[in-house]
Amino acid sequence: MVDFFQQFSPVGQAFIATLFTWAVTAAGAALVFFTKRVNQKLLDCMLGFAAGVMIAASFWSLLAPGIEMAEHLGQTPWLTAVIGFMGGGIFMRITDRLLPHLHPSLGMNKSEGIKTSWQRSTLLVLAITLHNIPEGLAVGVAFGAAAAGLPSATLGAAIALAIGIGIQNFPEGTAVSMPLRREGMSKGKSFFFGQASGIVEPIAGVLGALFVLKMQPVLPYALCFAAGAMIFVVVEELIPESQRKYEHIDIVTMATMTGFSVMMILDVALG
């Protein structure tokens, strides 16, 4: 797999990798062609698994390489990490406050961001799109970092991150398409809106790769920024969403730990 990616430029690598993550989002949305409803416990476990993947990816694929690169470039590692990490969280907080969106399990009266008359389907797509921005950015930054030639970032690690992000995108596509299908929307439209939530990832991936290739000194900050943005999504949305049903908490917690383990294995094995 590494040999396949080596024939492309870093931007091309990021684009191909994020096309994969988008495709997995579409695969999750495609469940509407087979059923109107997914077992709630299963969906909660899928979201918990996604949270575990993102937590592991934030450290193994982003924060740790960012700290090592900061030291290699003569920066103060802990300061770079804090500035980048908190910057990512603050960016997501501001975006969360401004962008109109609706989390799948909530009614229209619980929509967030600037008030608007947009339809429920649009708000649901925007909620998942908001979360996919840091994921695409993280993949793009990882491929840009691998191209920088620093020992703490490898092409294998970037590929591992893309695979992990792709795996956890499956339930996100389902989380958009299924509620729309249950509300009476056609299978085709439900699928369309579900997969549309992932379209931002190739865009963010390419922009992330271009940015770090042009401005290498900010690369450690960019890696930590992506980590902070992803942790914000996990804590603000994925974990609360997966544990709304109190009776599922234990199994969902184990699913989260499983997701963390899978991403850790991917990163260590491929990185």
Side-chain angles (χ1 to χ4, degrees):
M1 187 179 295
V2 173
D3 291 338
F4 169 77
F5 275 90
Q6 284 178 333
Q7 62 185 306
F8 300 100
S9 69
V11 174
Q13 293 168 355
F15 181 66
I16 292 169
T18 47
L19 281 181
F20 163 74
T21 62
W22 179 18
V24 180
T25 304
L31 288 183
V32 294
F33 292 113
F34 307 100
T35 181
K36 278 189 175 182
R37 187 176 299 274
V38 174
N39 179 273
Q40 189 61 46
K41 182 185 289 187
L42 175 60
L43 184 57
D44 289 345
C45 286
M46 291 167 66
L47 291 172
F49 181 90
V53 168
M54 290 183 69
I55 293 170
S58 296
F59 176 75
W60 295 99
S61 300
L62 299 170
L63 263 180
I67 291 171
E68 290 182 32
M69 285 184 192
E71 187 172 10
H72 180 83
L73 294 173
Q75 300 172 1
T76 304
W78 66 265
L79 183 60
T80 297
V82 168
I83 292 174
F85 185 81
M86 290 303 298
I90 292 170
F91 169 79
M92 290 304 297
R93 171 59 175 162
I94 294 172
T95 306
D96 191 65
R97 288 292 300 272
L98 296 178
L99 182 69
H101 62 284
L102 176 68
H103 298 304
S105 62
L106 303 178
M108 284 294 288
N109 62 323
K110 299 291 186 179
S111 63
E112 301 179 27
I114 297 174
K115 296 304 177 183
T116 177
S117 59
W118 292 348
Q119 294 182 343
R120 176 179 172 83
S121 57
T122 303
L123 294 175
L124 285 171
V125 172
L126 287 175
I128 304 301
T129 300
L130 173 63
H131 298 164
N132 284 340
I133 292 173
E135 295 170 11
L137 179 65
V139 173
V141 169
F143 278 99
L150 299 174
S152 52
T154 66
L155 183 57
I159 294 172
L161 176 61
I163 293 173
I165 294 295
I167 291 172
Q168 65 89 42
N169 272 358
F170 189 91
E172 293 187 350
T174 304
V176 174
S177 61
M178 282 298 173
L180 298 176
R181 180 61 180 147
R182 287 197 300 269
E183 292 171 9
M185 185 175 286
S186 69
K187 294 178 182 179
K189 284 187 176 181
S190 298
F191 168 74
F192 173 80
F193 283 115
Q195 64 81 31
S197 64
I199 197 171
V200 71
E201 291 200 4
I203 299 171
V206 168
L207 291 176
L210 282 171
F211 178 75
V212 299
L213 286 172
K214 297 295 183 181
M215 303 183 67
Q216 192 175 122
V218 304
L219 180 52
Y221 294 98
L223 286 165
C224 297
F225 179 96
M230 287 176 62
I231 290 296
F232 180 95
V233 170
V234 170
V235 178
E236 193 267 346
E237 172 58 20
L238 287 181
I239 290 179
E241 188 73 26
S242 68
Q243 298 195 351
R244 289 188 184 279
K245 296 288 186 180
Y246 182 78
E247 60 270 24
H248 299 166
I249 286 180
D250 287 344
I251 187 67
V252 169
T253 299
M254 291 307 300
T256 302
M257 295 183 69
T258 301
F260 185 98
S261 299
V262 168
M263 185 64 227
M264 182 171 59
I265 290 169
L266 282 172
D267 193 274
V268 174
L270 294 178

